[in-house]
Amino acid sequence: MIRAAALVAALFGAATIFSGGRVLFADGAEAAGSYVPYIVWFNFLAGFAYVAAGIGLWRRKPWAAGMSLGLALLTALFFAALGGHIAAGAAYEMRTVAAMALRTLLWMGIAALACAPLARAMRRTRPRLT
């Protein structure tokens, strides 16, 4: 199951780099409409971390679980910032809200899968109070 999550993470990262790069550096800004620049920059840069986390998960590196959890938390934080942006009455695209919801749920799921073996190991080695 972790290998499937790794593959999803890496492919999602590559797609994120491509789509964010188009908006930031090519002709995609006009098609993106009322995009939120700091969200696009976060997602673009996070795409590289998604690929790295995917590679780490594929190779079952211990740091990849923490990186996945960090990505989930950072994505949720930026999603909350988007909520503040919207609450302030600023322009946005509904597809940005949907994309951030997808990213947050995806990384929460990947982090849960990646961290589960660590949690099981900690339960086995935790000293019991008598």
Side-chain angles (χ1 to χ4, degrees):
M1 190 64 136
I2 199 71
R3 288 266 168 115
L7 189 58
V8 167
L11 291 175
F12 194 71
T16 299
I17 293 165
F18 176 75
S19 64
R22 273 192 56 216
V23 172
L24 294 170
F25 308 117
D27 60 350
E30 189 174 309
S34 298
Y35 70 93
V36 182
Y38 65 89
I39 295 294
V40 176
W41 272 105
F42 167 74
N43 288 332
F44 174 71
L45 295 172
F48 294 96
Y50 295 172
V51 172
I55 292 168
L57 290 168
W58 185 270
R59 294 181 176 175
R60 300 184 193 279
K61 298 292 183 182
W63 54 262
M67 187 172 192
S68 297
L69 182 58
L71 285 167
L73 294 173
L74 272 173
T75 303
L77 179 69
F78 273 83
F79 193 15
L82 176 62
H85 176 85
I86 293 167
Y92 70 99
E93 293 287 334
M94 193 60 206
R95 63 184 164 197
T96 304
V97 176
M100 289 304 289
L102 173 67
R103 290 173 195 287
T104 302
L105 290 172
L106 177 79
W107 280 100
M108 286 181 170
I110 291 172
L113 282 172
C115 293
L118 296 173
R120 281 193 299 273
M122 288 174 65
R123 280 194 300 267
R124 283 194 303 267
T125 60
R126 182 176 46 201
R128 299 210 184 257
L129 299 174
T130 54

